[in-house]
Amino acid sequence: MSARSSGDAQVMNADVSWEAFDSTAYVEHNYRYLQPEDAEILHIIRDHFGGHFRKPDVGPVSGIDVGAGANLYPALALMPWCDEVTLVERSPANVKYLRGQLDNYRPNWDQFWDVLGEHEAYGDFSIDPRQQFRKVVKVEQGNIFDLGRFGPPRSAGTMFFVAESMTTSYEEFTLGVACFMRALAPGAPFAAAFMEHSKGYYTGKKFFPACDVGESQVRASLEPFADRFEVHRLEAKDRVRDGYSGMILSYGWRGNSDAQVPVGRPD
């Protein structure tokens, strides 16, 4: 089954039954064990955030993870540096899952924290990670297109497998990236991950749409908002599912500009 199987009709974010997202099946399939690609991503973002926040004169930090889904590791990467990390998620099922992890997150997430802890900046973090998670993380139900209602721009942010995994529309993809970047203050470090050339995906028995993007589209979506950033393609060593060709990770810093969202699709 394809997201474009019915006359190539666009599937917009508002058309999707997000309440049908099977959080349990999603975590079991994707995060019960640490996948090689996620381990590689963790190595990169721990260097990025660890290097940034170990600099002197970094003040109080507010973080945001946009479209958290049922994935805790972006929040784990942010939490040592943050006085508050807000997980914004649209699906009621995922919101319930996330709130159920606040007091004592499940043991499968320990392997993700262990990779972060191999970096000295995280290894020097003396507070028990579950205590810190309980202290700083909060969960809010909300839409990526309405992030302004969650407060002023944040000083750090993540968005993993969201903008390309909620619609088949390239315009909505670019708007989603723009909304994420506009939720960050100038100079804020960020990390964003994307499924490359995704054709859509299942959680349990429910199919969800995706926008087919590659490195050039990811780069074009970020360029109006980031002065310095990198884009890395991660080869799919052991694919977690069918229907995609790899993963793309971008990380960098929010720029001072607030350009118009690009309309055309780059080649």
Side-chain angles (χ1 to χ4, degrees):
M1 180 178 180
S2 167
R4 297 179 181 270
S5 60
S6 178
D8 288 338
Q10 294 276 310
V11 180
M12 310 300 283
N13 180 261
D15 299 329
V16 180
S17 299
W18 293 108
E19 66 276 6
F21 199 98
D22 190 333
S23 308
T24 300
Y26 186 80
V27 173
E28 180 70 15
H29 185 76
N30 293 280
Y31 301 119
R32 182 179 181 184
Y33 302 108
L34 177 62
Q35 306 289 339
E37 292 86 354
D38 289 320
E40 187 175 353
I41 288 172
L42 285 165
H43 278 84
I44 296 171
I45 65 173
R46 74 185 188 188
D47 291 348
H48 178 50
F49 288 128
H52 176 87
F53 287 115
R54 295 197 88 185
K55 296 175 183 177
D57 301 322
V58 175
V61 177
S62 59
I64 189 168
D65 181 31
V66 174
N71 179 8
L72 298 192
Y73 81 70
L76 294 174
L78 288 174
M79 73 174 187
W81 326 111
C82 294
D83 300 304
E84 176 186 293
V85 181
T86 302
L87 312 188
V88 179
E89 171 57 29
R90 181 168 184 173
S91 163
N94 285 336
V95 169
K96 181 179 179 180
Y97 173 82
L98 292 170
R99 287 176 175 163
Q101 303 301 301
L102 292 179
D103 286 340
N104 187 22
Y105 58 76
R106 293 183 63 83
N108 64 295
W109 296 108
D110 291 334
Q111 60 197 320
F112 296 84
W113 175 256
D114 289 344
V115 174
L116 293 168
E118 293 170 2
H119 189 288
E120 60 181 354
Y122 289 84
D124 290 344
F125 182 59
S126 58
I127 300 175
D128 178 86
R130 281 180 171 78
Q131 291 181 356
Q132 181 72 357
F133 196 86
R134 190 180 308 123
K135 176 183 176 182
V136 305
V137 175
K138 68 176 184 178
V139 179
E140 296 282 1
Q141 186 167 8
N143 194 315
I144 189 173
F145 303 123
D146 189 25
L147 296 177
R149 72 183 184 88
F150 298 109
R154 306 303 178 96
S155 40
T158 51
M159 181 182 68
F160 276 49
F161 313 119
V162 179
E164 83 293 359
S165 299
M166 63 177 188
T167 179
T168 65
S169 164
Y170 182 73
E171 287 72 24
E172 280 200 328
F173 162 77
T174 56
L175 179 58
V177 174
C179 289
F180 165 62
M181 295 300 288
R182 286 173 174 151
L184 305 180
F190 72 88
F194 308 85
M195 302 300 284
E196 180 189 57
H197 300 307
S198 178
K199 307 305 180 186
Y201 57 101
Y202 282 92
T203 63
K205 296 181 179 180
K206 178 68 176 177
F207 186 80
F208 290 88
C211 183
D212 184 348
V213 297
E215 290 179 74
S216 62
Q217 289 82 28
V218 168
R219 187 176 297 277
S221 71
L222 289 165
E223 279 178 343
F225 305 100
D227 289 340
R228 295 175 293 155
F229 69 103
E230 301 288 339
V231 176
H232 288 280
R233 181 181 185 274
L234 290 76
E235 188 68 38
K237 300 177 179 68
D238 297 302
R239 294 185 185 178
V240 295
R241 59 171 172 80
D242 295 330
Y244 73 102
S245 57
M247 297 182 185
I248 299 169
L249 175 68
S250 180
Y251 63 94
W253 290 265
R254 173 72 160 101
N256 292 313
S257 62
D258 192 15
Q260 295 295 315
V261 178
V263 176
R265 181 184 179 95
D267 293 332

